[in-house]
Amino acid sequence: MKSTEEKGEDGRSATQLRPLSCTRSVLNRAHGSASFSQGETKILAAVYGPKAGTKKNENPEKACIEVIWKPKSGQIGKAEKEYEMILKRTLQNICILNVHPNTTTTIIIQVVNDDGSLLPCAINAACSALVDAGIPLKYLAVAISFCLAEDEYCVLDPNKLEEQCLEQGRAAIKLLSDFLRRKLWSKVQSDVSVAG
Amino acid sequence: MESKPSNSPSSLVDQHVFPGDVVLDLSKMTNQTIKLGSSLRQDGDAISAMKAGKLRFAKPNKYWVESSHKRYVPCAGDTVLGIVVDSKADYFLVDIKAPTLAFLPVLAFEGGTRRNIPKFEMGTLLYARVVMANTGMNPELACMDATGKAAEFGPLKDGYMFESTTGLSRMLLKSPPCPLLETLGKKLAFEIAVGLNGRVWVNASSPSIIILVANSIMKSESLSPVQQKIMVDNLLQRVQ
């Protein structure tokens, strides 16, 4: 059980994040790509688009966003489909969908290494890849996960070990408002280089 | 909650902006007409950026965000390099790296009538001008300038075409010409066509010159003017 002063196994206190790093334009053929890592968790996101045509059930007056989640190993199952759905809804909220109607933007997420906090890392990687590709966005999406332990004690950015130990509380993913975006800004800004 | 409200209109000009950054606050500026260029949108009283890039300002009242990407957003008046994908009865379908395919009307050539319709195979490279580009509609091209003359538009034969980013195309089309093209032009003879959609076509008498020019252009995107000149000088010394 940790108090706010005690450090965890990797020397982090409860409110300290793991080291973040982000690289853009990693892939040659993708229209936009980014590699985002939080500690040991690393995710590669590639964006293709906008390309002409939407799928059958989608609204042709808006742009369509398609997410493909590729796990590190194993077959694609229900967990991957759930991640795809969560990511698609998140990204639909930040993209401006009426700039290019009747087009499809495909985002492919490849898990390179999983050490906890997978979905927030994927959201961050996908957002960086969208910025790299030049897809019009309303604002940037930032995500972080935290674990709630028994006595409402909160641990930020858990790694896999912490996620499994704190099973009673559930890791929740929260989309942050501009306030916390500014706090993380100084950590990410030195690594993220901007187009243009 | 707005982030970084700018106090004066010019506080963010020539700075890097991210999507969602409020670049102008209209409630503080009264009685002014402002023209918004690419990647800026109006959200009530605030003008915010849609893409990441550098905010630019041109007098008297134009703002836009300059960024470099692999895809192209069509804009009327641009000259682009397109590849013919299909041909229909009244128009050709041309791929210009935009979200949708572009239409090139069969009569949009100098002296074009129903009797002398050009026949382009799939894969033909064309140098064309964007006549109309509205949201929701396919952009329209023409292989003649505004007065109706051919003016070098049309299919490009031989040579080598490669793709790069829109920022590189803008740099190659700057006037005065960028030091890269000047230095190459002093020693080598070649012809070049630059499309604003990120495609460049190079032609010369021998393949080695074509390869040299293409490679030096591809390498020069992130270099400053002085570095470009040094790189080209090194390359030319090794060849001759």
Side-chain angles (χ1 to χ4, degrees), chain A residues 9-28:
Chain A
E9 270 193 24
D10 47 358
R12 284 190 296 148
S13 69
T15 51
Q16 217 176 350
L17 299 176
R18 293 178 285 179
L20 301 169
S21 101
C22 177
T23 321
R24 66 173 270 262
S25 290
V26 252
L27 300 174
N28 233 341

Side-chain angles (χ1 to χ4, degrees), chain B residues 80-117:
Chain B
V80 294
L81 254 63
I83 297 181
V84 176
V85 171
D86 201 0
S87 62
K88 303 267 182 204
D90 283 330
Y91 49 85
F92 297 104
L93 283 167
V94 181
D95 161 46
I96 54 173
K97 286 172 74 171
T100 47
L101 291 176
F103 292 163
L104 172 62
V106 148
L107 302 173
F109 296 84
E110 182 181 9
T113 59
R114 276 276 156 200
R115 294 213 183 151
N116 55 355
I117 297 176

Side-chain angles (χ1 to χ4, degrees), chain A residues 7 21 27-28 36 44 59 68 74 92 123 126 130 143 158 180 192:
Chain A
K7 309 264 181 201
S21 101
L27 300 174
N28 233 341
F36 200 94
L44 186 59
N59 187 1
I68 299 175
Q92 263 174 348
I123 294 177
L130 286 174
L180 201 49
V192 177

Side-chain angles (χ1 to χ4, degrees), chain A residues 124-194:
Chain A
N124 293 331
C127 179
S128 314
L130 286 174
V131 168
D132 186 40
I135 311 285
L137 300 176
K138 284 185 228 168
Y139 23 71
L140 298 176
V142 180
I144 196 157
S145 71
F146 61 91
C147 277
L148 281 176
E150 289 137 356
D151 49 353
E152 291 172 13
Y153 173 71
C154 173
V155 174
L156 278 187
D157 199 13
N159 56 21
K160 205 157 191 93
L161 200 59
E162 287 166 353
E163 266 180 12
Q164 282 164 355
C165 290
L166 296 170
E167 251 177 77
Q168 278 176 330
R170 282 176 46 210
I173 291 105
K174 210 168 156 36
L175 280 173
L176 299 177
S177 65
D178 280 8
F179 171 66
L180 201 49
R181 172 168 88 106
R182 261 183 263 146
K183 284 231 165 127
L184 289 178
W185 199 244
S186 48
K187 284 191 185 165
V188 181
Q189 199 166 26
S190 48
D191 284 323
V192 177
S193 49
V194 184

